[in-house]
Amino acid sequence: MVTALESQPVELLASCWTTAGDAGPTRGDERSPFPLPSRIEAAADAGYRGFGIVHADLVAAEATSGFDAIASMLATHAIVGLELEMLNDWFATGSRRHASDLVRVDLLRAAERLRPRHIKVGSEIDGHDWPWGQLVESFAELCRQAADAGTRIALEPMPFGQVKDLTLGRRLVDDAGQANGGLMLDLWHMARGGVDFAEIRDLPARYIFAVELDDADEQVRGATLWEDTQDFRRLCGEGDQDVTGFIAAIQATGYAGPWGMEILSEDFRHLALQEQARRSFQTAMGMFAAR
């Protein structure tokens, strides 16, 4: 039997790397070789109704076009959900925190003008174990600043990070106690982190601010999880993960937001822009049809 929730129209969001071409996190300055207007148009033509912009592309677009022009591009192509990323080191000290604060200023300033659904953030991934109280206080402060800018903070648990799983992510959100602080659940991170989908199914929907779809081989590829997540993700249905099971678990929570499609793959980076948008959209929608 199809539930009312499952019968709702599915809206997909093209996460920033899904239309970025030969670019990726920590690869050079992270700017896409494809012009932002072309990426927005390609995503919309493929069927996406949401779009993600990474900090490096956001700064470049502001310098050349301005925020009003970015907003106009999104509206022209009926893009109704915007995601900004990525803020790291918001919990750190010293030079790391200084660099992070510069990114924070840009993202919050853009949020005031562009009104994104959320700003995506990560946790420590370089092996340092920060005091829990420092993480809580820093996350709460970040959420308060985001609220002033009219947006939310979506924390992404990662198996190679300090906030590595759903349990720690939920604890951080609870301890920070900010209504505009929640979680982003990425299938790759949940699967590689060994999170049981039953745990997701039992999660109150208020914790879930965003969801990302992708796929992966059964075994980790590359020397580390970082290499696997950066270079070897697969399109939905082309790997060995239970994509439809993940979708079912998310739907069972009552989540009703857009579904991000995030592909990080050395092969995928070299596809033409329109092919990136078309293939990522069609394979993701195929998973919903399989439900």
Side-chain angles (χ1 to χ4, degrees):
M1 183 177 71
V2 178
T3 68
L5 179 63
E6 290 171 340
S7 66
Q8 289 180 359
V10 173
E11 290 192 355
L12 296 187
L13 182 152
S15 300
C16 70
W17 305 119
T18 300
T19 63
D22 192 12
T26 72
R27 299 174 85 248
D29 67 7
E30 298 189 351
R31 285 181 296 178
S32 169
F34 299 141
L36 186 61
S38 299
R39 293 170 62 194
I40 293 172
E41 181 178 11
D45 286 348
Y48 284 105
R49 290 298 171 259
F51 192 82
I53 306 178
V54 77
H55 172 256
D57 286 325
L58 181 70
V59 170
E62 181 192 13
T64 56
S65 304
F67 289 144
D68 289 344
I70 296 173
S72 179
M73 293 177 211
L74 296 169
T76 296
H77 294 286
I79 297 295
V80 295
L82 177 65
E83 172 181 88
L84 300 181
E85 65 170 282
M86 174 77 165
L87 185 63
N88 296 306
D89 292 346
W90 44 269
F91 44 80
T93 58
S95 60
R96 287 179 60 180
R97 177 58 184 266
H98 176 71
S100 175
D101 283 348
L102 296 177
V103 175
R104 181 189 307 215
V105 168
D106 289 338
L107 292 174
L108 291 176
R109 185 165 45 81
E112 291 179 345
R113 299 286 295 278
L114 298 176
R115 296 300 179 182
R117 298 188 75 257
H118 56 266
I119 295 172
K120 180 178 173 181
V121 307
S123 67
E124 172 66 59
I125 62 172
D126 291 332
H128 190 92
D129 189 19
W130 299 95
W132 186 256
Q134 184 168 326
L135 292 181
V136 171
E137 292 174 9
S138 298
F139 189 71
E141 176 191 37
L142 175 59
C143 288
R144 288 192 291 268
Q145 292 174 348
D148 290 340
T151 193
R152 308 184 298 174
I153 297 298
L155 172 75
E156 185 172 30
M158 303 179 185
F160 42 75
Q162 186 173 357
V163 182
K164 63 182 180 179
D165 55 26
L166 197 53
T167 299
L168 286 174
R170 183 172 177 174
R171 179 185 167 196
L172 181 58
V173 169
D174 285 342
D175 289 355
Q178 303 299 310
N180 70 319
L183 301 177
M184 166 173 281
L185 304 188
D186 181 316
L187 171 57
W188 188 97
H189 293 299
M190 297 293 101
R192 288 294 192 238
V195 175
D196 193 311
F197 289 172
E199 185 180 356
I200 297 174
R201 182 181 295 272
D202 293 338
L203 186 67
R206 63 184 177 84
Y207 287 99
I208 307 177
F209 282 10
V211 175
E212 286 184 336
L213 300 174
D214 37 43
D215 206 337
D217 291 338
E218 181 178 3
Q219 300 298 322
V220 173
R221 297 183 63 187
T224 64
L225 280 175
W226 180 251
E227 284 187 35
D228 189 37
T229 199
Q230 285 273 80
D231 296 330
F232 297 108
R233 295 195 195 192
R234 292 192 178 274
L235 291 163
C236 291
E238 297 185 0
D240 299 307
Q241 302 306 314
D242 184 8
V243 181
T244 57
F246 177 74
I247 290 172
I250 294 291
Q251 288 179 325
T253 69
Y255 175 76
W259 300 75
M261 183 64 185
E262 183 178 65
I263 296 298
L264 292 162
S265 160
E266 193 58 37
D267 291 337
F268 186 80
R269 290 185 185 108
H270 294 96
L271 296 177
L273 172 58
Q274 288 74 18
E275 188 73 356
Q276 285 188 327
R278 183 187 64 81
R279 288 189 61 192
S280 60
F281 181 85
Q282 290 181 350
T283 53
M285 290 301 292
M287 295 296 97
F288 290 93
R291 294 267 297 120

